[in-house]
Amino acid sequence: MLITNARLRSTSRLVDVTVEGCRFARIAPANEEPAERPAEREDVLDAQGALLCAPFVDAHMHLDYANTVGQPRMNESGTLFEAIGIWADHKAQGLVQRERVIERAVDAVRSEAGNGVGFIRTHVDVTEPGLTALDAILEVKDRVRDWCGIQVVAFPQNGILAHPQGTELMAEAMRRGADVVGGIPHFERTREAGVASLRRVFDLAERHDALIDVHCDEIDDEQSRFVEVLADLAIERGMQGRVTASHAVAMAYYQAGYMAKLLPELVAADMRFAVNPTENLQLQGWGAPAPMPRGVAPIRELTEAGLNVALGQDSIADPWYPIGEGDLLRVLESGLHVAHMLTEPVLRRCLDLITVNGAKNLGLEDYGIHEGARADAILLDADDDKSALRHHADVLASIRGGSLVFRRARRELLDPMEGFAA
Ligand code: FE2
């Protein structure tokens, strides 16, 4: 395949990109060697100046919950803890059925992939004794591998210690093929149980040489401080750079004095963050006195401290969040607004939050548009990061492993004011 006249994020000059097999073989200035370009080739994709970008990475998603909103009931309070209760009822009523989970999750992945997402880290609830959802999502991972890569986190939605079989189910989930060890310390019954649950998370990760991604402090409580425990354990166990704190909502409530102590610890542990701005804006702050807290981890402070922050959709139409379609440009827009990050330096590189930063969390080693890398890419109808965000760029094409997944025609934008004098 040959991709001609593409713009890269790093340069304004157009380039031609040659793909050989499943890899980018050569990136050269456009039209540099026309003799090498057989005009009749059918596998030429003329980018017409569109932005060739590495695929979006959804760093935090729950595919097993996708498209279940209203089953068995709607979330009337809008809160996180009502959603967890609804999901417990969903399980108790036998609504987690293999074929239904597969069908709904594949729909969700199709929607994400259509929005330019090439990699998803999905948490899967493993506190259901049959592990039906886990097996279903492992099947989904296989079915969609030609258009989207999936990384599966064993996620103990109802706790590791708080659930009677939590520890055994987590171990079994890793044996069955989950890639990453999850946790939910703020949901355990006491702070001490939360800390003990994290020790079990690290033990299990060590046994499988796996990465860790914990739902950490997803609660409107400035006293919830498991992120410091995660960092401490990462250092103690020599797992710096291998641990992600997801959501980290309580950080939005931490006082400046504590943050000043905490941030260097997080840096020392090379902690990764997965933040979900749209969902936590919906879930957090209910019942709080005015002024209403934002309830989203402090993306700007974390980024300025040099920590890796990636964004995720988290939910597609489930008890936690009634909308969502895997549209990461929308998630990015919300995240930059809530974090006061609409500054020129950030906007110039804003796609990092939904591309390379996510790839770093997931440990993707072969990611990016450069010679020798795996040929995964999307074409955005934009000139640069800022215009992609501002105009909510259409995804014109998706390429995975050197093969075209889809291609769309560029939209004709008609000027509705045409004919009116200025
Ligand atoms: Fe989550």
Side-chain angles (χ1 to χ4, degrees), residues 140 179 208 216 264 365:
V140 170
D179 304 294
H208 290 269
C216 196
E365 285 167 0

Side-chain angles (χ1 to χ4, degrees), residues 59-132:
H60 187 111
M61 178 60 200
H62 294 260
L63 286 176
D64 54 328
Y65 299 166
N67 299 312
T68 62
V69 65
Q71 300 175 22
R73 63 179 189 282
M74 299 303 289
N75 185 338
E76 298 295 339
S77 69
T79 63
L80 173 69
F81 287 87
E82 180 172 349
I84 294 175
I86 292 170
W87 193 254
D89 292 346
H90 185 98
K91 288 190 278 188
Q93 293 180 23
L95 296 173
V96 178
Q97 296 165 13
R98 180 184 167 85
E99 288 309 317
R100 292 168 67 161
V101 175
I102 290 173
E103 189 182 327
R104 291 188 299 234
V106 168
D107 277 354
V109 180
R110 289 181 77 88
S111 181
E112 294 239 5
N115 281 302
V117 174
F119 300 93
I120 299 173
R121 175 180 275 183
T122 182
H123 296 250
V124 180
D125 179 14
V126 299
T127 50
E128 171 259 316
L131 294 179
T132 309

Side-chain angles (χ1 to χ4, degrees), residues 159-212:
I160 293 177
L161 296 172
H163 189 284
Q165 297 157 268
T167 303
E168 295 73 29
L169 287 167
M170 286 290 288
E172 177 60 18
M174 292 306 291
R175 270 195 297 275
R176 286 197 195 183
D179 304 294
V180 178
V181 182
I184 187 164
H186 56 277
F187 190 82
E188 305 290 353
R189 292 197 184 92
T190 62
R191 183 187 180 279
E192 289 68 25
V195 173
S197 78
L198 289 181
R199 292 196 175 281
R200 293 190 188 191
V201 166
F202 277 79
D203 291 344
L204 188 56
E206 279 176 353
R207 282 208 291 282
H208 290 269
D209 192 23
L211 300 178
I212 289 172

Side-chain angles (χ1 to χ4, degrees), residues 286-346:
W286 291 94
M292 179 72 76
R294 294 187 171 208
V296 177
I299 303 168
R300 184 165 52 81
E301 287 84 343
L302 293 170
T303 302
E304 286 174 356
L307 291 154
N308 193 66
V309 180
L311 304 184
Q313 167 76 80
D314 201 14
S315 285
I316 291 180
D318 67 19
W320 286 260
Y321 188 71
I323 55 175
E325 53 178 10
D327 180 348
L328 290 192
L329 284 173
R330 232 188 230 184
V331 172
L332 175 62
E333 186 174 346
S334 296
L336 294 180
H337 278 88
V338 73
H340 281 155
M341 288 176 82
L342 295 178
T343 60
E344 267 316 295
V346 171

